[in-house]
Amino acid sequence: DEGGKGEWSSDVCSSVLHRVRKQSEAGLVVAGTTSVAGAIVVKIRRLPGLKGTLRALLGLTPMARAWRTASRLHAVGIATAQPIALLAGRSGGERVEVLVLPEIEGRTLLARLADRDLPEAVERLAAANIADMIAQLARHRLANRDHKPSNIIISDTGRPVLLDAELRTAPPAEAAARMLASLAIEPSGVGITLPRVPTARLLRLVASRLADQGRSEERRVGKECRSRW
């Protein structure tokens, strides 16, 4: 419940589950998933007044942006929670918008960094996969402004899934550097010290994956990433 009123949860969630199942049975749920089996996450926001209603109709709400962002990430090969349904209705006399997502198994990267609960081999694989994610976004000139560890779920096998992205366009090296910075800022803010060797390895991996024009280009990209980071 993101609307700040916990009493919405029971009636809205019951209605959401009913409507999602009906739409799924009718083949109307078409957001990159074909099933609503398993646990789901229900996000709820108010649509205050006429302005909120108009923004929903025009697709300008945070929920609508999240839907479009998930589709955009999917199109460039980034693993994310693909929305199941985007619904609007009333609860307690107020208009609300509801986004339904599948629950992603695993723990946030922030929690993994705090506990260091992955075996070294899986940790190395996770770092390589995160580097691939950053490089893939940067190749498409996309920077995720919210690329912090608490928005990345890491499975027990080292597979990363990106949540709650905010995409902006940027040159590849700048995009990569921004996302690397986001990865570093949040842990330091909560007293988690990033391990030096894996951190340096991650930077090298990102630079090498972005370098499509030989070693000199790899060094240039690495230098820019380090200077911005």
Side-chain angles (χ1 to χ4, degrees), residues 8 14 23 30 53 60 87 117 119 137-138 176-177 184 191 205 226:
W8 285 349
S14 176
Q23 291 187 2
V30 288
T53 301
L60 300 177
L87 309 170
D117 63 340
L137 286 166
L205 287 171
R226 281 190 294 273

Side-chain angles (χ1 to χ4, degrees), residues 56-117:
L57 289 172
L58 295 172
L60 300 177
T61 61
M63 301 294 198
R65 285 197 297 271
W67 181 287
R68 291 193 298 271
T69 297
S71 297
R72 200 172 179 188
L73 289 170
H74 182 71
V76 298
I78 302 299
T80 189
Q82 287 293 312
I84 297 167
L86 180 61
L87 309 170
R90 287 190 173 275
S91 176
E94 295 185 276
R95 286 191 61 78
V96 295
E97 191 172 43
V98 181
L99 184 67
V100 185
L101 302 153
E103 185 176 53
I104 303 299
E105 292 185 5
R107 303 183 69 207
T108 67
L109 176 57
L110 188 66
R112 298 285 196 193
L113 288 170
D115 296 343
R116 300 299 300 272
D117 63 340

Side-chain angles (χ1 to χ4, degrees), residues 10 17 67 69 76-77 82 113 118 123 126 136 138 151-152 156 158 161 171 204 209 212 220:
S10 59
L17 288 170
W67 181 287
T69 297
V76 298
Q82 287 293 312
L113 288 170
L118 289 175
E123 193 175 85
Q136 182 71 356
N151 281 342
I152 300 174
D156 289 341
V161 179
R204 289 196 303 271
R209 281 155 171 72
D212 298 322
R220 186 191 70 78

